[in-house]
Amino acid sequence: MADRCVCVHAHFYQPPRENPWLGRVESEPSAAPSHDWNERITDECYAPNAASRLLDDEGRITAIRNNYASISFNFGPTLLSWMERRGTSTYLAILEADRRSRERFEGHGSAIAQPFNHMILPLASARDRRTQVAWGIADFRHRFGRDPEGMWLPETAVDIASLEALAEAGITFTVLAPHQAARVRPADASAWPEASDGTLDTGVAYRQHLPSGRHIDLFFYHGPTSRAVAFENLLENGQTLAECLKDLTHRPEDAAARLGHIATDGETYGHHHAHGDMALAVAIDCLQSDPGVRIVNYGQFLARNPPQYEVEIREGTSWSCSHGVERWRSDCGCSTGGQPGSNQAWRAPLRRALDGLARDLADLYEREAGRLLPDPWAARDSYAAVLLDPVDDTRTAFVRAHAARPLAAAEERRVFGLLEMSRHAMLMYTSCGWFFDDLTRIETRQILRYAARAVELAALLGGASAREPFLTALAEARANGPDAPNGRDVLLKEAGRSRVAAADVAAERAALSTVGGPPVPAAEWSVQETRVTVSGPGSRSAAGRVSVTDARTGATERFRYRARARRDKGLDVRLAAVEPGEGTAAERSVSLTDLRADVRDVVAARCVDRFDAPDDGWRDMGSSLGLARSHPGEPFWGREALRHARRIAAALSRPRDVRLVAELEATLEAQTQVLVADHAGLEPEASCQTMLLLLDVADVLGVDLDLWTLQNRWWSALQGRKEGKDSSAARRVTVRLGFAAPDRDTA
């Protein structure tokens, strides 16, 4: 009987969204109610796929599954970098899924790599191709703790040079669309029959021999089923999806192993299709319970079934442009809609302008870095180590490895400045800048911000002559509409509102320190501070010194400040730059409106929190409810806590209701996490009784707990226990949290 195998591949990716001068994603109003699109899509897709619900007929949870452990997937390095900082629990679940997949699939992990910032490789220079692949592999190794077997090509855009870059770096396979195969043949045949989208056998692996003598293996996903998942209604029913995948494995006359596989954007499963993660979880569950098929990943299938067929690709093709790779350099007609009468004529001049700038920056980098580094391009290929771990020891080791002699501090700063310029020169080629409908969209504005930052760094390093030719060429790219701006206008506007200097970072830190707010992360800067604060009625004052270091180049500036914040959200910061040995520069005055939006919101909120706190009778809501415990083994609750909760509920009609409810919600949610985290270490019955009482108090007070997190933690705690999870109290908690009853007696 033929070996019937199934594989679902999901390509998870978001364009880099960070402000190039700050290194953090600022508020994106179009993503409301979320702070930004990364956050919104994490809530809708990335997090749900790490904890997807399987439901019974009554809508109760029967299991929570990490879908990533059962599929093949890749995540863009720039997205994982953001997720590590801002979506840590989901990030860790993704890494854990790859570890579990290695156990399940005979040592072959389900995660595969991706070039660093989604550059269209057939349109890239040979140097950029090599660096993109090298950085993608370094990022993968850093996160997943192993070398990747496969690598996803951005937009599956492919040519022989790109495949050579992958093979040279040790990549074994990649995945393409079926129309990207030009002709195929059995390995022992001489004739080359033409291949087409409709006739290509996607159920086997193929080998592409390369001019260098190397080879790379290729999988061509099943096009119609992939399109049905991504753009039609196949995700409406997970069982139907499972049946479609199984149908792809049938070929009775062939005794060889068959692979039924699809590939789509990972955002299909939850962002593009609401609750698509749950349909995927149901499909996986159906496939796992069917003894006639086996879920695999590409690495495992390839190890068991080496290619018996050869292929020649169609060069310069992709999965999302019917004209090859024209979508990223011309008005080919491919778009996502746009206004009637609009066009994408701006794409070609945008590409020409960036290509001209890239050549100028490459010449500057090679010339200036070559004076300090024997092989500046090999150094750039290795620079990912510093990006991934930008501490002093890593930077020192990098310089020692690539400089021909010990470098002075100023020379080291120059080296890292040149590398940063070159990094931004690659980021400005992120594919999303051309993908959509207009020059003024957020994605195109983002790549122009990277270009502006690269130009600025070049000017600081002796390459000021690159700016004007670039802006002149960019002016030829014009957005849609009679009064629409051109590319030069867009870049100058974006640079003007995005640019951040060390003084801005110092003022930001001074403002936050004055109101007692937490620092707002800014990956491009390192800040050290000493301060004293004085509180008075309705105000708070601070004075201090701030040292601000460009985390990438190592350049440092120092400042002194005096600041005062008031109850009415008034803020006054007096900032003075201190040049070493040269005294104090002229002062700069900063008010609340001068701060960037994200920081301004934090400071304003902290003014209210700091100067409009509730009276002492309500200051410690945790203590008033009896939530705190003195010793780790001590019981959390008494019945008095429930009676106290009822008294508080009755008092909520008094003034400051909003403050009371907000503080109570925060206390209850924090305590919920403590309870569940401690669950495995406590007596099962006592811990479950505590959980029941917590839920009772929340019901009395009308507080909506974070059930998503609570369900996930409770499920993990129960899965990790060998005893106690079948107790009466545990079953009652399980039902209260929305899970299906273990038996009808406890319902």
Side-chain angles (χ1 to χ4, degrees):
M1 177 179 176
D3 194 359
R4 299 171 58 196
C5 302
V6 171
C7 178
V8 173
H9 183 82
H11 161 56
F12 295 98
Y13 168 72
Q14 290 300 305
R17 304 181 186 278
E18 287 80 3
N19 179 325
W21 285 267
L22 270 177
R24 70 169 179 250
V25 180
E26 298 181 286
S27 177
E28 295 177 331
S30 61
S34 299
H35 175 270
D36 57 73
W37 279 105
N38 282 1
E39 182 181 281
R40 178 168 168 175
I41 298 172
T42 296
D43 292 343
E44 294 174 348
C45 177
Y46 307 141
N49 275 287
S52 191
R53 272 64 171 155
L54 290 169
L55 306 179
D56 64 11
D57 293 339
E58 298 178 358
R60 293 273 185 167
I61 301 170
T62 59
I64 295 178
R65 299 287 173 82
N66 186 337
N67 287 343
Y68 299 111
S70 299
I71 65 173
S72 172
F73 65 88
N74 71 282
F75 270 87
T78 53
L79 174 57
L80 285 182
S81 175
W82 174 89
M83 195 177 291
E84 183 180 15
R85 301 188 305 270
R86 308 297 295 172
T88 306
S89 60
T90 301
Y91 173 77
L92 294 175
I94 291 165
L95 303 189
E96 171 62 15
D98 181 70
R99 187 194 64 78
R100 286 164 52 189
S101 73
R102 296 200 297 273
E103 296 175 353
R104 178 178 181 181
F105 299 126
E106 301 173 327
H108 299 278
S110 286
I112 67 173
Q114 179 197 292
F116 184 71
N117 66 268
H118 219 260
M119 183 186 291
I120 301 299
L121 295 193
L123 299 180
S125 69
R127 286 166 174 161
D128 282 356
R129 268 197 305 270
R130 185 173 60 249
T131 301
Q132 286 284 307
V133 172
W135 285 14
I137 291 173
D139 187 272
F140 186 95
R141 189 183 295 124
H142 172 78
R143 300 184 191 286
F144 293 98
R146 63 180 180 87
D147 288 329
E149 293 181 84
M151 176 171 275
W152 179 268
L153 288 169
E155 302 293 338
T156 76
V158 70
D159 62 359
I160 292 298
S162 300
L163 294 181
E164 285 277 21
L166 267 59
E168 182 181 7
I171 296 298
T172 303
F173 69 85
T174 191
V175 183
L176 300 176
H179 68 264
Q180 294 180 273
R183 50 185 193 163
V184 299
R185 68 180 180 185
D188 56 356
S190 57
W192 278 101
E194 291 290 323
S196 69
D197 195 345
T199 62
L200 180 72
D201 181 3
T202 61
V204 297
Y206 294 86
R207 178 156 293 175
Q208 169 78 59
H209 292 281
L210 300 170
S212 65
R214 302 184 184 92
H215 68 262
I216 189 167
D217 295 332
L218 305 177
F219 291 94
F220 296 91
Y221 63 77
H222 192 263
T225 306
S226 299
R227 286 192 294 272
V229 169
F231 304 113
E232 299 167 17
N233 299 318
L234 190 50
L235 276 184
E236 288 186 357
N237 189 302
Q239 294 177 337
T240 303
L241 173 58
E243 291 301 318
C244 289
L245 291 170
K246 286 191 285 187
D247 288 345
L248 299 181
T249 67
H250 285 295
R251 193 178 179 188
E253 73 277 9
D254 191 344
R258 306 293 306 157
L259 178 65
H261 63 116
I262 60 173
T264 66
D265 284 334
E267 292 75 19
T268 300
Y269 303 104
H271 174 56
H272 299 313
H273 294 275
H275 308 298
D277 66 288
M278 297 175 70
L280 179 59
V282 169
I284 292 169
D285 199 53
C286 292
L287 292 167
Q288 288 177 340
S289 61
D290 187 335
V293 296
R294 189 158 50 88
I295 294 178
V296 300
N297 62 25
Y298 289 119
Q300 183 191 34
F301 183 86
L302 195 59
R304 287 189 169 204
N305 306 280
Q308 303 300 311
Y309 294 86
E310 297 176 358
V311 65
E312 288 185 351
I313 61 162
R314 295 185 193 277
E315 291 204 71
T317 58
S318 66
W319 75 343
S320 53
C321 178
S322 58
H323 313 92
V325 293
E326 294 306 305
R327 188 169 196 154
W328 297 277
R329 65 181 176 186
S330 71
D331 185 9
C332 67
C334 290
S335 71
T336 55
Q339 298 298 318
S342 65
N343 61 63
Q344 287 75 51
W346 51 270
R347 286 174 175 165
L350 174 62
R351 170 69 64 173
R352 288 196 299 271
L354 292 181
D355 284 348
L357 175 62
R359 286 191 294 270
D360 288 342
L361 297 181
D363 290 345
L364 175 65
Y365 175 78
E366 186 171 57
R367 182 179 68 250
E368 296 301 318
R371 294 172 179 172
L372 301 170
L373 309 174
D375 190 340
W377 297 109
R380 189 181 74 163
D381 290 345
S382 301
Y383 183 51
V386 179
L387 297 176
L388 291 165
D389 187 25
V391 297
D392 289 344
D393 287 350
T394 308
R395 295 164 66 87
T396 299
F398 176 86
V399 171
R400 287 176 178 171
H402 293 284
R405 59 175 175 79
L407 300 182
E411 291 176 318
E412 287 191 12
R413 289 195 296 270
R414 187 168 183 80
V415 164
F416 287 116
L418 288 161
L419 286 162
E420 278 300 291
M421 177 195 73
S422 191
R423 178 172 75 95
H424 285 87
M426 288 192 293
L427 286 166
M428 72 187 187
Y429 279 114
T430 300
S431 69
C432 309
W434 287 265
F435 190 85
F436 297 97
D437 303 309
D438 200 71
L439 181 68
T440 58
R441 275 189 59 112
I442 188 173
E443 298 85 1
T444 310
R445 299 201 316 265
Q446 179 69 17
I447 68 168
L448 290 176
R449 292 205 294 176
Y450 288 127
R453 179 60 174 151
V455 168
E456 181 179 86
L457 287 167
L460 295 172
L461 295 162
S465 61
R467 184 177 187 272
E468 287 307 318
F470 170 58
L471 291 177
T472 299
L474 195 58
E476 297 179 13
R478 183 169 292 280
N480 286 285
D483 299 318
N486 61 40
R488 177 192 177 105
D489 298 334
V490 174
L491 180 139
L492 293 176
K493 182 177 180 180
E494 287 299 314
R497 68 186 181 190
S498 301
R499 185 176 286 110
V500 174
D504 300 309
V505 178
E508 173 184 291
R509 177 56 66 91
L512 289 166
S513 296
T514 304
V515 298
V520 177
E524 300 295 318
W525 302 93
S526 173
V527 181
Q528 294 181 327
E529 179 189 14
T530 58
R531 69 176 183 274
V532 294
T533 57
V534 178
S535 296
S539 69
R540 195 165 190 254
S541 299
R545 289 178 176 267
V546 184
S547 176
V548 180
T549 300
D550 186 319
R552 304 299 187 186
T553 68
T556 298
E557 296 183 52
R558 297 174 179 83
F559 304 87
R560 295 189 306 199
Y561 73 85
R562 302 186 310 278
R564 183 169 179 261
R566 303 186 305 276
R567 176 187 290 120
D568 62 359
K569 302 182 185 178
L571 174 73
D572 180 38
V573 177
R574 299 284 180 171
L575 189 72
V578 179
E579 295 296 336
E582 302 208 3
T584 305
E587 285 194 345
R588 172 184 175 185
S589 180
V590 178
S591 66
L592 186 64
T593 57
D594 295 323
L595 298 174
R596 302 193 70 78
D598 286 1
V599 177
R600 183 168 64 244
D601 292 344
V602 172
V603 172
R606 286 297 295 171
C607 282
V608 175
D609 289 344
R610 172 68 62 181
F611 306 127
D612 195 25
D615 56 73
D616 291 342
W618 301 99
R619 187 173 299 280
D620 189 346
M621 190 63 64
S623 296
S624 69
L625 277 177
L627 294 176
R629 60 175 178 171
S630 301
H631 305 289
E634 185 178 306
F636 290 89
W637 294 82
R639 284 290 161 186
E640 177 61 25
L642 189 55
R643 289 192 289 273
H644 201 148
R646 292 193 178 100
R647 291 197 294 272
I648 292 174
L652 288 182
S653 60
R654 303 184 328 167
R656 300 185 181 182
D657 289 2
V658 175
R659 286 285 306 172
L660 289 172
V661 173
E663 198 163 330
L664 181 58
E665 285 179 343
T667 303
L668 283 173
E669 290 186 9
Q671 191 65 19
T672 298
Q673 295 186 16
V674 171
L675 282 168
V676 180
D678 286 351
H679 176 72
L682 298 174
E683 289 296 324
E685 191 70 17
S687 181
C688 292
Q689 291 290 351
T690 299
M691 287 296 301
L692 288 170
L693 190 53
L694 171 67
L695 295 170
D696 287 342
V697 171
D699 287 345
V700 167
L701 296 173
V703 173
D704 292 327
L705 296 175
D706 181 4
L707 279 182
W708 170 266
T709 300
L710 184 52
Q711 289 167 346
N712 292 345
R713 290 174 180 269
W714 185 257
W715 178 259
S716 297
L718 290 184
Q719 296 302 106
R721 289 193 64 85
K722 295 182 179 179
E723 300 176 356
K725 62 182 179 181
D726 294 325
S727 70
S728 174
R731 290 197 296 271
R732 288 170 60 203
V733 172
T734 299
V735 173
R736 287 285 300 275
L737 291 179
F739 292 90
D743 58 67
R744 288 294 173 186
D745 293 338
T746 61

